[in-house]
Amino acid sequence: MSTNNHVVGQVRPSQLLWAYGPGSIVDLPNLSVVTMGLNKWDPNRCPPVEEARLLAEVKRVLGPQVQRLRIPPFLQEDRPDPFSPEGRVGVPVSPFPRWLRCIKCGLLAEYDSGLFDLKSFPYRPERTHFLHTHCDKGKHADAVPARFLLACRNGHLDDFPWNWFIHGGTDCKGTFRFFERGASLQTENLWVKCDTCDNARSLVHAFGKDAVDNLPGCRGRHPHLDSFEDCTQEPRTILLGATNSWFPVTLSVLAIPLEKNQLSQLVLDGWEHFADVDDEAELRGIVKTLVKTSALPGINKWDVPSIWQAIEHRKAGKGLEVVSEGDIKGPEWDVLTSSSPPSDWPHFMSTTVAAPTGYESQIKRVLLLERLREVNALIGYTRVEAPEETSDPDERPPMAALTRGTTEWVPASEVHGEGIFIEFNESAIKTWEQNARVVEHDEALFVGHQGWRNARHLKPDIGFPPSRYTMLHTIAHLLVRELALECGYNAASIRERVYASSDPDAFMAGILLYTAAADSDGTLGGLVELGKPDFLGRLLDQAIERASICSSDPLCSEHDPSKDRSLHAAACHSCTFVSETSCERGNRYLDRALVVPTLRDTDVCLFGEGE
């Protein structure tokens, strides 16, 4: 990460999707910066990733101009020379907030006011910081970022309006001092004073109802784009490092092969190598290089004429580029439930095993995924409010752009790993969800769903998942907690993917639990081993036994979502919740009463006593 040709710190490439993407604040040890828009990035440093289904979905959201998914730039060497071209690889950033505070004299001013100097450490970039060179209370005093910012629901971010806040629009040009009154660091004890007119004000007036009278309107600023736009939203004061300052909006798919055309899939995966090939002679050399470097596993099984024919088909529009599924999970479900799922594609290797003994009536079969690949793409972000999962785009917070103008690419990441797919018996699920007691029980969660959406001024009656989703989602959480105790991975590294649909034309009832790592070799096989019938049966027994009694019972089992407008029933951190990185719905729509008998409900569960 660099600003004005100074390297100021390091983050992992994957963090540029999930935490520090364009528009976000990176709070480094000694200064903070904003990651600039994609228009400032060097795409030549960003390797492409081929995944047609994900690219088609990105195009559907952002427009047809998007042609590529690219991995954020990363260093090829562990400790490159900071003055070499390799040492300059990174993403551009700019200091933000612009206001700095001297830690000794409390001077509050903009970093480019001439009062501060940047001290760079090329070989220790994390030590780079600003200095108040002529501080009255000590030579070369450190200057740190002011920790108050303004943000609004439309995705805008701005410096705190210190001059407006203290002077209320007067013409005073005095310098500001930040100081503390009292022993605690509560907001009412934090003050700012003007050296010239002696006006002073506590930061407590920048929050809550007082903020409406003491803050100006939103200027519509996008610091990562160096732009302003009209905005009617009320800004709110947030703190530097606040989690609601940047929420990524991402799309993800599992890379799945075409069962009957593996060569076309391989050509698509390696299209960056084949796009400019003119004849078979040139192709022969490229294929030889791919085989030697293992850059495209599996291509060695095909001869050059066959590969050339597949390339010509793709260039003629007959390849996988025509894929345009709006439903990301549908094609995955078709492959995962196929009677003969692929078992030899380099990015998707699977083995079918029987259902665990004693669970044959609920579970149809289990698929062990020895190797899988997940591809994620960042398409935008929101501030203040997290992007809600809804089919109606009008209900989502406005998604801010990653770039100025249009972009031909978006940041993406790919991870490799392993997983366990459990397909449930559709007839058993139908019988269960048609039970009158299940329908009645699910009504309480629906009332909570309506209340939750009403509180956020959303349409109350849409977006509620079927009861089978809540049940399957809860089973996934219970198994994640058990797997974490057995497989060697921590719970935060195990993720879920729930396939649940009551659509008569596309029934789905299954869960995929997987773990993945950025390394090209993926993970170590510990998760797949636990998917074998004997191990999985034992894990299900343990999960059901633990879930039947929660340490927070009877409060947990008696929780009524209709009374507190929540999105979960009998579920809490003690029995069902998992890490936010593991859950696809943020620990919402959970109810262990639908899975096992609880203290309050014993007749609405899929797995009854004695299962």
mmCIF file with all atom_site columns, all heavy atoms in Angstrom, residues 32-56:
data_model
loop_
_atom_site.group_PDB
_atom_site.id
_atom_site.type_symbol
_atom_site.label_atom_id
_atom_site.label_alt_id
_atom_site.label_comp_id
_atom_site.label_asym_id
_atom_site.label_entity_id
_atom_site.label_seq_id
_atom_site.pdbx_PDB_ins_code
_atom_site.Cartn_x
_atom_site.Cartn_y
_atom_site.Cartn_z
_atom_site.occupancy
_atom_site.B_iso_or_equiv
_atom_site.pdbx_formal_charge
_atom_site.auth_seq_id
_atom_site.auth_comp_id
_atom_site.auth_asym_id
_atom_site.auth_atom_id
_atom_site.pdbx_PDB_model_num
ATOM 1   N N   . SER A 1 32 ? -3.614  6.536   9.324   1.00 0.00 ? 32 SER A N   1
ATOM 2   C CA  . SER A 1 32 ? -4.723  5.859   8.655   1.00 0.00 ? 32 SER A CA  1
ATOM 3   C C   . SER A 1 32 ? -4.822  6.390   7.238   1.00 0.00 ? 32 SER A C   1
ATOM 4   O O   . SER A 1 32 ? -4.531  7.564   6.966   1.00 0.00 ? 32 SER A O   1
ATOM 5   C CB  . SER A 1 32 ? -6.036  6.085   9.409   1.00 0.00 ? 32 SER A CB  1
ATOM 6   O OG  . SER A 1 32 ? -6.411  7.441   9.385   1.00 0.00 ? 32 SER A OG  1
ATOM 7   N N   . VAL A 1 33 ? -5.249  5.518   6.329   1.00 0.00 ? 33 VAL A N   1
ATOM 8   C CA  . VAL A 1 33 ? -5.331  5.868   4.914   1.00 0.00 ? 33 VAL A CA  1
ATOM 9   C C   . VAL A 1 33 ? -6.631  5.318   4.339   1.00 0.00 ? 33 VAL A C   1
ATOM 10  O O   . VAL A 1 33 ? -7.240  4.404   4.902   1.00 0.00 ? 33 VAL A O   1
ATOM 11  C CB  . VAL A 1 33 ? -4.132  5.294   4.127   1.00 0.00 ? 33 VAL A CB  1
ATOM 12  C CG1 . VAL A 1 33 ? -2.830  5.945   4.562   1.00 0.00 ? 33 VAL A CG1 1
ATOM 13  C CG2 . VAL A 1 33 ? -4.051  3.778   4.284   1.00 0.00 ? 33 VAL A CG2 1
ATOM 14  N N   . VAL A 1 34 ? -7.062  5.883   3.208   1.00 0.00 ? 34 VAL A N   1
ATOM 15  C CA  . VAL A 1 34 ? -8.222  5.372   2.488   1.00 0.00 ? 34 VAL A CA  1
ATOM 16  C C   . VAL A 1 34 ? -7.712  4.691   1.223   1.00 0.00 ? 34 VAL A C   1
ATOM 17  O O   . VAL A 1 34 ? -6.829  5.200   0.531   1.00 0.00 ? 34 VAL A O   1
ATOM 18  C CB  . VAL A 1 34 ? -9.220  6.502   2.154   1.00 0.00 ? 34 VAL A CB  1
ATOM 19  C CG1 . VAL A 1 34 ? -8.595  7.563   1.275   1.00 0.00 ? 34 VAL A CG1 1
ATOM 20  C CG2 . VAL A 1 34 ? -10.476 5.945   1.491   1.00 0.00 ? 34 VAL A CG2 1
ATOM 21  N N   . THR A 1 35 ? -8.251  3.519   0.932   1.00 0.00 ? 35 THR A N   1
ATOM 22  C CA  . THR A 1 35 ? -7.877  2.796   -0.280  1.00 0.00 ? 35 THR A CA  1
ATOM 23  C C   . THR A 1 35 ? -8.545  3.470   -1.478  1.00 0.00 ? 35 THR A C   1
ATOM 24  O O   . THR A 1 35 ? -9.762  3.649   -1.499  1.00 0.00 ? 35 THR A O   1
ATOM 25  C CB  . THR A 1 35 ? -8.316  1.328   -0.195  1.00 0.00 ? 35 THR A CB  1
ATOM 26  O OG1 . THR A 1 35 ? -7.789  0.738   0.996   1.00 0.00 ? 35 THR A OG1 1
ATOM 27  C CG2 . THR A 1 35 ? -7.808  0.544   -1.399  1.00 0.00 ? 35 THR A CG2 1
ATOM 28  N N   . MET A 1 36 ? -7.769  3.828   -2.460  1.00 0.00 ? 36 MET A N   1
ATOM 29  C CA  . MET A 1 36 ? -8.286  4.580   -3.600  1.00 0.00 ? 36 MET A CA  1
ATOM 30  C C   . MET A 1 36 ? -9.084  3.682   -4.541  1.00 0.00 ? 36 MET A C   1
ATOM 31  O O   . MET A 1 36 ? -9.018  2.450   -4.476  1.00 0.00 ? 36 MET A O   1
ATOM 32  C CB  . MET A 1 36 ? -7.138  5.249   -4.358  1.00 0.00 ? 36 MET A CB  1
ATOM 33  C CG  . MET A 1 36 ? -6.324  6.207   -3.496  1.00 0.00 ? 36 MET A CG  1
ATOM 34  S SD  . MET A 1 36 ? -7.331  7.501   -2.736  1.00 0.00 ? 36 MET A SD  1
ATOM 35  C CE  . MET A 1 36 ? -7.717  8.512   -4.163  1.00 0.00 ? 36 MET A CE  1
ATOM 36  N N   . GLY A 1 37 ? -9.841  4.321   -5.447  1.00 0.00 ? 37 GLY A N   1
ATOM 37  C CA  . GLY A 1 37 ? -10.708 3.603   -6.362  1.00 0.00 ? 37 GLY A CA  1
ATOM 38  C C   . GLY A 1 37 ? -9.956  2.778   -7.388  1.00 0.00 ? 37 GLY A C   1
ATOM 39  O O   . GLY A 1 37 ? -8.751  2.976   -7.625  1.00 0.00 ? 37 GLY A O   1
ATOM 40  N N   . LEU A 1 38 ? -10.668 1.889   -8.047  1.00 0.00 ? 38 LEU A N   1
ATOM 41  C CA  . LEU A 1 38 ? -10.044 0.983   -9.015  1.00 0.00 ? 38 LEU A CA  1
ATOM 42  C C   . LEU A 1 38 ? -9.425  1.743   -10.186 1.00 0.00 ? 38 LEU A C   1
ATOM 43  O O   . LEU A 1 38 ? -8.515  1.229   -10.844 1.00 0.00 ? 38 LEU A O   1
ATOM 44  C CB  . LEU A 1 38 ? -11.079 -0.012  -9.546  1.00 0.00 ? 38 LEU A CB  1
ATOM 45  C CG  . LEU A 1 38 ? -11.697 -0.969  -8.522  1.00 0.00 ? 38 LEU A CG  1
ATOM 46  C CD1 . LEU A 1 38 ? -12.666 -1.917  -9.220  1.00 0.00 ? 38 LEU A CD1 1
ATOM 47  C CD2 . LEU A 1 38 ? -10.627 -1.761  -7.782  1.00 0.00 ? 38 LEU A CD2 1
ATOM 48  N N   . ASN A 1 39 ? -9.927  2.947   -10.456 1.00 0.00 ? 39 ASN A N   1
ATOM 49  C CA  . ASN A 1 39 ? -9.350  3.731   -11.550 1.00 0.00 ? 39 ASN A CA  1
ATOM 50  C C   . ASN A 1 39 ? -7.910  4.133   -11.268 1.00 0.00 ? 39 ASN A C   1
ATOM 51  O O   . ASN A 1 39 ? -7.172  4.506   -12.189 1.00 0.00 ? 39 ASN A O   1
ATOM 52  C CB  . ASN A 1 39 ? -10.198 4.982   -11.815 1.00 0.00 ? 39 ASN A CB  1
ATOM 53  C CG  . ASN A 1 39 ? -10.433 5.809   -10.560 1.00 0.00 ? 39 ASN A CG  1
ATOM 54  O OD1 . ASN A 1 39 ? -11.041 5.330   -9.602  1.00 0.00 ? 39 ASN A OD1 1
ATOM 55  N ND2 . ASN A 1 39 ? -9.940  7.044   -10.552 1.00 0.00 ? 39 ASN A ND2 1
ATOM 56  N N   . LYS A 1 40 ? -7.471  4.049   -10.001 1.00 0.00 ? 40 LYS A N   1
ATOM 57  C CA  . LYS A 1 40 ? -6.084  4.371   -9.634  1.00 0.00 ? 40 LYS A CA  1
ATOM 58  C C   . LYS A 1 40 ? -5.204  3.116   -9.543  1.00 0.00 ? 40 LYS A C   1
ATOM 59  O O   . LYS A 1 40 ? -3.990  3.229   -9.407  1.00 0.00 ? 40 LYS A O   1
ATOM 60  C CB  . LYS A 1 40 ? -6.058  5.101   -8.282  1.00 0.00 ? 40 LYS A CB  1
ATOM 61  C CG  . LYS A 1 40 ? -6.786  6.442   -8.266  1.00 0.00 ? 40 LYS A CG  1
ATOM 62  C CD  . LYS A 1 40 ? -6.030  7.490   -9.038  1.00 0.00 ? 40 LYS A CD  1
ATOM 63  C CE  . LYS A 1 40 ? -6.702  8.860   -8.914  1.00 0.00 ? 40 LYS A CE  1
ATOM 64  N NZ  . LYS A 1 40 ? -6.537  9.445   -7.579  1.00 0.00 ? 40 LYS A NZ  1
ATOM 65  N N   . TRP A 1 41 ? -5.811  1.933   -9.592  1.00 0.00 ? 41 TRP A N   1
ATOM 66  C CA  . TRP A 1 41 ? -5.037  0.697   -9.507  1.00 0.00 ? 41 TRP A CA  1
ATOM 67  C C   . TRP A 1 41 ? -4.383  0.387   -10.849 1.00 0.00 ? 41 TRP A C   1
ATOM 68  O O   . TRP A 1 41 ? -4.843  0.842   -11.903 1.00 0.00 ? 41 TRP A O   1
ATOM 69  C CB  . TRP A 1 41 ? -5.924  -0.474  -9.104  1.00 0.00 ? 41 TRP A CB  1
ATOM 70  C CG  . TRP A 1 41 ? -6.482  -0.405  -7.706  1.00 0.00 ? 41 TRP A CG  1
ATOM 71  C CD1 . TRP A 1 41 ? -6.753  0.728   -6.989  1.00 0.00 ? 41 TRP A CD1 1
ATOM 72  C CD2 . TRP A 1 41 ? -6.873  -1.495  -6.884  1.00 0.00 ? 41 TRP A CD2 1
ATOM 73  N NE1 . TRP A 1 41 ? -7.289  0.406   -5.772  1.00 0.00 ? 41 TRP A NE1 1
ATOM 74  C CE2 . TRP A 1 41 ? -7.376  -0.963  -5.675  1.00 0.00 ? 41 TRP A CE2 1
ATOM 75  C CE3 . TRP A 1 41 ? -6.858  -2.862  -7.035  1.00 0.00 ? 41 TRP A CE3 1
ATOM 76  C CZ2 . TRP A 1 41 ? -7.848  -1.758  -4.636  1.00 0.00 ? 41 TRP A CZ2 1
ATOM 77  C CZ3 . TRP A 1 41 ? -7.327  -3.666  -6.001  1.00 0.00 ? 41 TRP A CZ3 1
ATOM 78  C CH2 . TRP A 1 41 ? -7.815  -3.112  -4.813  1.00 0.00 ? 41 TRP A CH2 1
ATOM 79  N N   . ASP A 1 42 ? -3.338  -0.419  -10.816 1.00 0.00 ? 42 ASP A N   1
ATOM 80  C CA  . ASP A 1 42 ? -2.687  -0.876  -12.037 1.00 0.00 ? 42 ASP A CA  1
ATOM 81  C C   . ASP A 1 42 ? -3.198  -2.275  -12.363 1.00 0.00 ? 42 ASP A C   1
ATOM 82  O O   . ASP A 1 42 ? -2.776  -3.248  -11.738 1.00 0.00 ? 42 ASP A O   1
ATOM 83  C CB  . ASP A 1 42 ? -1.169  -0.901  -11.854 1.00 0.00 ? 42 ASP A CB  1
ATOM 84  C CG  . ASP A 1 42 ? -0.434  -1.337  -13.121 1.00 0.00 ? 42 ASP A CG  1
ATOM 85  O OD1 . ASP A 1 42 ? -1.110  -1.577  -14.145 1.00 0.00 ? 42 ASP A OD1 1
ATOM 86  O OD2 . ASP A 1 42 ? 0.803   -1.457  -13.086 1.00 0.00 ? 42 ASP A OD2 1
ATOM 87  N N   . PRO A 1 43 ? -4.108  -2.436  -13.333 1.00 0.00 ? 43 PRO A N   1
ATOM 88  C CA  . PRO A 1 43 ? -4.655  -3.770  -13.618 1.00 0.00 ? 43 PRO A CA  1
ATOM 89  C C   . PRO A 1 43 ? -3.618  -4.755  -14.124 1.00 0.00 ? 43 PRO A C   1
ATOM 90  O O   . PRO A 1 43 ? -3.816  -5.976  -14.032 1.00 0.00 ? 43 PRO A O   1
ATOM 91  C CB  . PRO A 1 43 ? -5.733  -3.490  -14.679 1.00 0.00 ? 43 PRO A CB  1
ATOM 92  C CG  . PRO A 1 43 ? -5.364  -2.179  -15.276 1.00 0.00 ? 43 PRO A CG  1
ATOM 93  C CD  . PRO A 1 43 ? -4.681  -1.399  -14.195 1.00 0.00 ? 43 PRO A CD  1
ATOM 94  N N   . ASN A 1 44 ? -2.508  -4.243  -14.648 1.00 0.00 ? 44 ASN A N   1
ATOM 95  C CA  . ASN A 1 44 ? -1.459  -5.145  -15.130 1.00 0.00 ? 44 ASN A CA  1
ATOM 96  C C   . ASN A 1 44 ? -0.800  -5.903  -13.990 1.00 0.00 ? 44 ASN A C   1
ATOM 97  O O   . ASN A 1 44 ? -0.125  -6.908  -14.219 1.00 0.00 ? 44 ASN A O   1
ATOM 98  C CB  . ASN A 1 44 ? -0.405  -4.362  -15.910 1.00 0.00 ? 44 ASN A CB  1
ATOM 99  C CG  . ASN A 1 44 ? -0.966  -3.729  -17.172 1.00 0.00 ? 44 ASN A CG  1
ATOM 100 O OD1 . ASN A 1 44 ? -1.807  -4.331  -17.843 1.00 0.00 ? 44 ASN A OD1 1
ATOM 101 N ND2 . ASN A 1 44 ? -0.525  -2.513  -17.485 1.00 0.00 ? 44 ASN A ND2 1
ATOM 102 N N   . ARG A 1 45 ? -0.958  -5.397  -12.766 1.00 0.00 ? 45 ARG A N   1
ATOM 103 C CA  . ARG A 1 45 ? -0.411  -6.074  -11.587 1.00 0.00 ? 45 ARG A CA  1
ATOM 104 C C   . ARG A 1 45 ? -1.433  -7.022  -10.958 1.00 0.00 ? 45 ARG A C   1
ATOM 105 O O   . ARG A 1 45 ? -1.137  -7.631  -9.926  1.00 0.00 ? 45 ARG A O   1
ATOM 106 C CB  . ARG A 1 45 ? 0.019   -5.046  -10.547 1.00 0.00 ? 45 ARG A CB  1
ATOM 107 C CG  . ARG A 1 45 ? 1.187   -4.179  -10.961 1.00 0.00 ? 45 ARG A CG  1
ATOM 108 C CD  . ARG A 1 45 ? 2.491   -4.945  -10.872 1.00 0.00 ? 45 ARG A CD  1
ATOM 109 N NE  . ARG A 1 45 ? 3.647   -4.082  -11.034 1.00 0.00 ? 45 ARG A NE  1
ATOM 110 C CZ  . ARG A 1 45 ? 4.906   -4.505  -10.952 1.00 0.00 ? 45 ARG A CZ  1
ATOM 111 N NH1 . ARG A 1 45 ? 5.131   -5.776  -10.692 1.00 0.00 ? 45 ARG A NH1 1
ATOM 112 N NH2 . ARG A 1 45 ? 5.912   -3.680  -11.121 1.00 0.00 ? 45 ARG A NH2 1
ATOM 113 N N   . CYS A 1 46 ? -2.620  -7.093  -11.537 1.00 0.00 ? 46 CYS A N   1
ATOM 114 C CA  . CYS A 1 46 ? -3.711  -7.889  -10.967 1.00 0.00 ? 46 CYS A CA  1
ATOM 115 C C   . CYS A 1 46 ? -3.996  -9.092  -11.859 1.00 0.00 ? 46 CYS A C   1
ATOM 116 O O   . CYS A 1 46 ? -4.628  -8.933  -12.919 1.00 0.00 ? 46 CYS A O   1
ATOM 117 C CB  . CYS A 1 46 ? -4.963  -7.045  -10.796 1.00 0.00 ? 46 CYS A CB  1
ATOM 118 S SG  . CYS A 1 46 ? -4.732  -5.553  -9.798  1.00 0.00 ? 46 CYS A SG  1
ATOM 119 N N   . PRO A 1 47 ? -3.555  -10.295 -11.510 1.00 0.00 ? 47 PRO A N   1
ATOM 120 C CA  . PRO A 1 47 ? -3.771  -11.474 -12.362 1.00 0.00 ? 47 PRO A CA  1
ATOM 121 C C   . PRO A 1 47 ? -5.263  -11.761 -12.541 1.00 0.00 ? 47 PRO A C   1
ATOM 122 O O   . PRO A 1 47 ? -6.049  -11.609 -11.607 1.00 0.00 ? 47 PRO A O   1
ATOM 123 C CB  . PRO A 1 47 ? -3.084  -12.608 -11.581 1.00 0.00 ? 47 PRO A CB  1
ATOM 124 C CG  . PRO A 1 47 ? -2.172  -11.920 -10.618 1.00 0.00 ? 47 PRO A CG  1
ATOM 125 C CD  . PRO A 1 47 ? -2.805  -10.615 -10.293 1.00 0.00 ? 47 PRO A CD  1
ATOM 126 N N   . PRO A 1 48 ? -5.673  -12.167 -13.742 1.00 0.00 ? 48 PRO A N   1
ATOM 127 C CA  . PRO A 1 48 ? -7.089  -12.462 -13.980 1.00 0.00 ? 48 PRO A CA  1
ATOM 128 C C   . PRO A 1 48 ? -7.511  -13.804 -13.393 1.00 0.00 ? 48 PRO A C   1
ATOM 129 O O   . PRO A 1 48 ? -6.698  -14.708 -13.226 1.00 0.00 ? 48 PRO A O   1
ATOM 130 C CB  . PRO A 1 48 ? -7.189  -12.469 -15.506 1.00 0.00 ? 48 PRO A CB  1
ATOM 131 C CG  . PRO A 1 48 ? -5.817  -12.857 -15.966 1.00 0.00 ? 48 PRO A CG  1
ATOM 132 C CD  . PRO A 1 48 ? -4.863  -12.277 -14.959 1.00 0.00 ? 48 PRO A CD  1
ATOM 133 N N   . VAL A 1 49 ? -8.784  -13.907 -13.072 1.00 0.00 ? 49 VAL A N   1
ATOM 134 C CA  . VAL A 1 49 ? -9.397  -15.162 -12.617 1.00 0.00 ? 49 VAL A CA  1
ATOM 135 C C   . VAL A 1 49 ? -10.561 -15.463 -13.548 1.00 0.00 ? 49 VAL A C   1
ATOM 136 O O   . VAL A 1 49 ? -11.370 -14.580 -13.835 1.00 0.00 ? 49 VAL A O   1
ATOM 137 C CB  . VAL A 1 49 ? -9.922  -15.048 -11.165 1.00 0.00 ? 49 VAL A CB  1
ATOM 138 C CG1 . VAL A 1 49 ? -10.606 -16.340 -10.748 1.00 0.00 ? 49 VAL A CG1 1
ATOM 139 C CG2 . VAL A 1 49 ? -8.797  -14.727 -10.216 1.00 0.00 ? 49 VAL A CG2 1
ATOM 140 N N   . GLU A 1 50 ? -10.628 -16.695 -14.046 1.00 0.00 ? 50 GLU A N   1
ATOM 141 C CA  . GLU A 1 50 ? -11.707 -17.067 -14.949 1.00 0.00 ? 50 GLU A CA  1
ATOM 142 C C   . GLU A 1 50 ? -12.783 -17.836 -14.187 1.00 0.00 ? 50 GLU A C   1
ATOM 143 O O   . GLU A 1 50 ? -12.510 -18.863 -13.576 1.00 0.00 ? 50 GLU A O   1
ATOM 144 C CB  . GLU A 1 50 ? -11.171 -17.936 -16.099 1.00 0.00 ? 50 GLU A CB  1
ATOM 145 C CG  . GLU A 1 50 ? -10.221 -17.209 -17.035 1.00 0.00 ? 50 GLU A CG  1
ATOM 146 C CD  . GLU A 1 50 ? -10.918 -16.163 -17.871 1.00 0.00 ? 50 GLU A CD  1
ATOM 147 O OE1 . GLU A 1 50 ? -12.160 -16.217 -17.989 1.00 0.00 ? 50 GLU A OE1 1
ATOM 148 O OE2 . GLU A 1 50 ? -10.226 -15.278 -18.414 1.00 0.00 ? 50 GLU A OE2 1
ATOM 149 N N   . GLU A 1 51 ? -13.974 -17.322 -14.184 1.00 0.00 ? 51 GLU A N   1
ATOM 150 C CA  . GLU A 1 51 ? -15.139 -18.014 -13.614 1.00 0.00 ? 51 GLU A CA  1
ATOM 151 C C   . GLU A 1 51 ? -16.384 -17.425 -14.284 1.00 0.00 ? 51 GLU A C   1
ATOM 152 O O   . GLU A 1 51 ? -16.872 -16.357 -13.887 1.00 0.00 ? 51 GLU A O   1
ATOM 153 C CB  . GLU A 1 51 ? -15.194 -17.864 -12.092 1.00 0.00 ? 51 GLU A CB  1
ATOM 154 C CG  . GLU A 1 51 ? -16.391 -18.516 -11.451 1.00 0.00 ? 51 GLU A CG  1
ATOM 155 C CD  . GLU A 1 51 ? -16.627 -19.935 -11.933 1.00 0.00 ? 51 GLU A CD  1
ATOM 156 O OE1 . GLU A 1 51 ? -15.694 -20.776 -11.828 1.00 0.00 ? 51 GLU A OE1 1
ATOM 157 O OE2 . GLU A 1 51 ? -17.733 -20.195 -12.441 1.00 0.00 ? 51 GLU A OE2 1
ATOM 158 N N   . ALA A 1 52 ? -16.879 -18.096 -15.312 1.00 0.00 ? 52 ALA A N   1
ATOM 159 C CA  . ALA A 1 52 ? -17.924 -17.545 -16.168 1.00 0.00 ? 52 ALA A CA  1
ATOM 160 C C   . ALA A 1 52 ? -19.212 -17.246 -15.408 1.00 0.00 ? 52 ALA A C   1
ATOM 161 O O   . ALA A 1 52 ? -19.856 -16.222 -15.634 1.00 0.00 ? 52 ALA A O   1
ATOM 162 C CB  . ALA A 1 52 ? -18.212 -18.507 -17.325 1.00 0.00 ? 52 ALA A CB  1
ATOM 163 N N   . ARG A 1 53 ? -19.622 -18.121 -14.516 1.00 0.00 ? 53 ARG A N   1
ATOM 164 C CA  . ARG A 1 53 ? -20.886 -17.922 -13.813 1.00 0.00 ? 53 ARG A CA  1
ATOM 165 C C   . ARG A 1 53 ? -20.831 -16.679 -12.929 1.00 0.00 ? 53 ARG A C   1
ATOM 166 O O   . ARG A 1 53 ? -21.781 -15.899 -12.866 1.00 0.00 ? 53 ARG A O   1
ATOM 167 C CB  . ARG A 1 53 ? -21.219 -19.157 -12.968 1.00 0.00 ? 53 ARG A CB  1
ATOM 168 C CG  . ARG A 1 53 ? -21.614 -20.368 -13.785 1.00 0.00 ? 53 ARG A CG  1
ATOM 169 C CD  . ARG A 1 53 ? -21.845 -21.584 -12.913 1.00 0.00 ? 53 ARG A CD  1
ATOM 170 N NE  . ARG A 1 53 ? -22.757 -21.303 -11.836 1.00 0.00 ? 53 ARG A NE  1
ATOM 171 C CZ  . ARG A 1 53 ? -22.429 -21.375 -10.538 1.00 0.00 ? 53 ARG A CZ  1
ATOM 172 N NH1 . ARG A 1 53 ? -21.212 -21.721 -10.188 1.00 0.00 ? 53 ARG A NH1 1
ATOM 173 N NH2 . ARG A 1 53 ? -23.307 -21.108 -9.621  1.00 0.00 ? 53 ARG A NH2 1
ATOM 174 N N   . LEU A 1 54 ? -19.707 -16.488 -12.248 1.00 0.00 ? 54 LEU A N   1
ATOM 175 C CA  . LEU A 1 54 ? -19.576 -15.316 -11.391 1.00 0.00 ? 54 LEU A CA  1
ATOM 176 C C   . LEU A 1 54 ? -19.482 -14.043 -12.225 1.00 0.00 ? 54 LEU A C   1
ATOM 177 O O   . LEU A 1 54 ? -20.100 -13.022 -11.893 1.00 0.00 ? 54 LEU A O   1
ATOM 178 C CB  . LEU A 1 54 ? -18.352 -15.458 -10.490 1.00 0.00 ? 54 LEU A CB  1
ATOM 179 C CG  . LEU A 1 54 ? -18.108 -14.310 -9.511  1.00 0.00 ? 54 LEU A CG  1
ATOM 180 C CD1 . LEU A 1 54 ? -19.312 -14.114 -8.600  1.00 0.00 ? 54 LEU A CD1 1
ATOM 181 C CD2 . LEU A 1 54 ? -16.861 -14.560 -8.675  1.00 0.00 ? 54 LEU A CD2 1
ATOM 182 N N   . LEU A 1 55 ? -18.730 -14.087 -13.320 1.00 0.00 ? 55 LEU A N   1
ATOM 183 C CA  . LEU A 1 55 ? -18.610 -12.911 -14.178 1.00 0.00 ? 55 LEU A CA  1
ATOM 184 C C   . LEU A 1 55 ? -19.969 -12.536 -14.763 1.00 0.00 ? 55 LEU A C   1
ATOM 185 O O   . LEU A 1 55 ? -20.311 -11.348 -14.859 1.00 0.00 ? 55 LEU A O   1
ATOM 186 C CB  . LEU A 1 55 ? -17.605 -13.183 -15.301 1.00 0.00 ? 55 LEU A CB  1
ATOM 187 C CG  . LEU A 1 55 ? -17.363 -12.032 -16.272 1.00 0.00 ? 55 LEU A CG  1
ATOM 188 C CD1 . LEU A 1 55 ? -16.866 -10.793 -15.532 1.00 0.00 ? 55 LEU A CD1 1
ATOM 189 C CD2 . LEU A 1 55 ? -16.369 -12.441 -17.357 1.00 0.00 ? 55 LEU A CD2 1
ATOM 190 N N   . ALA A 1 56 ? -20.785 -13.540 -15.122 1.00 0.00 ? 56 ALA A N   1
ATOM 191 C CA  . ALA A 1 56 ? -22.113 -13.261 -15.657 1.00 0.00 ? 56 ALA A CA  1
ATOM 192 C C   . ALA A 1 56 ? -22.980 -12.568 -14.617 1.00 0.00 ? 56 ALA A C   1
ATOM 193 O O   . ALA A 1 56 ? -23.743 -11.645 -14.929 1.00 0.00 ? 56 ALA A O   1
ATOM 194 C CB  . ALA A 1 56 ? -22.769 -14.564 -16.127 1.00 0.00 ? 56 ALA A CB  1
#
